[in-house]
Amino acid sequence: MDKILIFGHKNPDTDTICSSIAYSYLKNQLGLNTEPIRLGEINGETEFALKTFEQEVPRFVQSVSAEASSVILVDHNERQQSADDINDVRVLEVIDHHRIANFETSEPLYYRAEPVGCTATILKKLFKENNVEIEKNIAGLMLSAIISDSLLFKSPTCTDEDIQAAHELAQIAGVNPEKYGLDMLKAGADLSKKSVEQLISLDAKEFQMGNSKVEVAQVNTVDIQDVLSRQAEIESALQAVIADKSLDLFVFVITDILNSDSTAIALGRSADAVEEAYGVKLENHTALLKGVVSRKKQIVPVLTDVFNKR
């Protein structure tokens, strides 16, 4: 049986990595030959989760078509966020919780998309539907994914389904979700050893918004000023990415996980879209976005609406 690769988006976050591992485990229990892989480096938060629940880091794969003819996507669907050679393989399934854009296939597939806060919440249902027990450490990884995507249940993307799933998974994993979750988020918020290039690419996604090409990167921290102290370096790195990718806008979002606010650094010829979207004025290329913590629900849709009107 040919191997099927399972992976999430580039610049992987905790949901991408943990859901790839969990779904591969489920598929293998059902008799398939699958392997979870990654398309980029993991962050400190994900590393904390993998170490806690004794899981190997999925191996990095540059060219998926060199290793498999069929793949399964989790936590994404947009082509520009996926493997560079995604068009050279058959997509068998997609399990996702984001908008659907820039995605089409030549053959039918299983597509599961639900408006919940995390891919792992959908996966929990799939385990139940297939009558497969969730092993303790797999439950811990799925819990980690939900905590990450929901910012410990504070994000507006978080649903009652996510909270219920998280507490059931915590019970299986044998951890206190609040205590473990805060420890995990703090591990990811330690940015002191990250280079500027790492900061702007740790959790970056590219989007087509109207006729414009936009990249939105996000980092979590417990002290926004620690990141803003490196603003000159950050802006230089952002400008380089803008030039390299011909972006119309790059928004670098610094999220305070304690106060649930964000500060955005916006650069590019369409930086005024941020002002229009949030009713703010960029000063020194930055603006405080009160109550904004979710890229998926509070940034991408709002900016997309602005660009669609242009």
Side-chain angles (χ1 to χ4, degrees):
M1 183 185 298
D2 291 339
K3 181 183 291 185
I4 300 168
L5 300 180
I6 300 181
F7 53 89
H9 52 75
K10 295 175 181 175
N11 304 315
D13 57 14
T14 301
D15 187 22
T16 271
I17 295 295
C18 292
S19 287
S20 296
I21 295 171
Y23 200 41
S24 180
Y25 175 85
L26 172 59
K27 285 297 186 180
N28 291 344
Q29 293 297 305
L30 296 174
L32 274 69
N33 178 21
T34 73
E35 180 190 358
I37 63 163
R38 58 184 171 89
L39 302 182
E41 295 302 315
I42 65 169
N43 59 38
E45 177 189 281
T46 307
E47 182 181 11
F48 181 90
L50 293 177
K51 285 184 177 179
T52 299
F53 296 106
E54 301 176 344
Q55 292 291 317
E56 295 285 336
V57 179
R59 66 187 180 92
F60 172 74
V61 173
Q62 181 73 46
S63 172
V64 296
S65 62
E67 300 197 20
S69 58
S70 298
V71 302
I72 293 174
L73 309 184
V74 297
D75 199 34
H76 78 297
N77 67 80
E78 299 189 48
R79 296 273 168 169
Q80 70 273 16
Q81 297 175 10
S82 198
D84 291 338
D85 56 343
I86 191 65
N87 290 328
D88 299 327
V89 293
R90 179 184 176 187
V91 178
L92 297 177
E93 299 184 27
V94 176
I95 313 296
D96 194 18
H97 67 124
H98 295 93
R99 72 175 193 174
I100 301 171
N102 306 317
F103 180 82
E104 62 180 26
T105 61
S106 59
E107 299 180 64
L109 76 163
Y110 178 80
Y111 199 111
R112 182 80 168 254
E114 297 188 20
V116 291
C118 182
T119 307
T121 301
I122 305 172
L123 295 186
K124 186 176 182 300
K125 297 180 185 180
L126 287 169
F127 272 88
K128 184 175 181 180
E129 290 166 12
N130 286 280
N131 296 311
V132 175
E133 184 178 346
I134 303 176
E135 185 265 340
K136 178 179 180 178
N137 286 353
I138 294 296
L141 295 182
M142 294 168 68
L143 168 66
S144 301
I146 295 173
I147 289 171
S148 175
D149 269 14
S150 70
L151 277 180
L152 199 51
F153 317 129
K154 292 180 180 179
S155 172
T157 62
C158 186
T159 67
D160 289 342
E161 286 187 59
D162 297 297
I163 296 171
Q164 181 179 344
H167 283 91
E168 290 177 8
L169 291 165
Q171 188 171 12
I172 298 171
V175 298
N176 178 297
E178 282 75 19
K179 181 182 184 305
Y180 166 73
L182 188 57
D183 288 343
M184 187 191 77
L185 291 176
K186 285 183 176 179
D190 182 7
L191 306 174
S192 59
K193 297 179 181 178
K194 302 295 183 184
S195 68
V196 166
E197 287 72 22
Q198 288 175 316
L199 282 181
I200 68 170
S201 64
L202 276 172
D203 188 6
K205 290 183 179 180
E206 187 179 311
F207 301 92
Q208 189 68 37
M209 299 182 182
N211 295 317
S212 299
K213 196 175 177 183
V214 178
E215 187 154 333
V216 182
Q218 185 173 23
V219 294
N220 294 333
T221 183
V222 293
D223 188 345
I224 286 179
Q225 290 306 315
D226 278 352
V227 181
L228 287 179
S229 67
R230 306 167 72 180
Q231 184 174 346
E233 292 178 83
I234 290 171
E235 289 191 9
S236 178
L238 294 180
Q239 293 287 16
V241 175
I242 290 169
D244 181 58
K245 296 184 177 182
S246 299
L247 298 175
D248 296 283
L249 171 65
F250 196 130
V251 185
F252 180 61
V253 183
I254 312 161
T255 298
D256 184 334
I257 63 173
L258 299 181
N259 296 314
S260 299
D261 293 322
S262 295
T263 293
I265 300 176
L267 294 175
R269 55 179 169 264
S270 297
D272 64 317
V274 174
E275 296 181 322
E276 185 178 344
Y278 296 100
V280 297
K281 182 69 176 176
L282 289 170
E283 297 181 7
N284 192 26
H285 308 298
T286 68
L288 174 64
L289 307 181
K290 292 289 293 182
V292 173
V293 297
S294 170
R295 173 173 51 198
K296 183 180 74 171
K297 194 165 185 176
Q298 296 174 297
I299 298 174
V300 173
V302 180
L303 285 175
T304 300
D305 285 346
V306 170
F307 281 107
N308 283 340
K309 294 174 185 176
R310 295 189 168 191

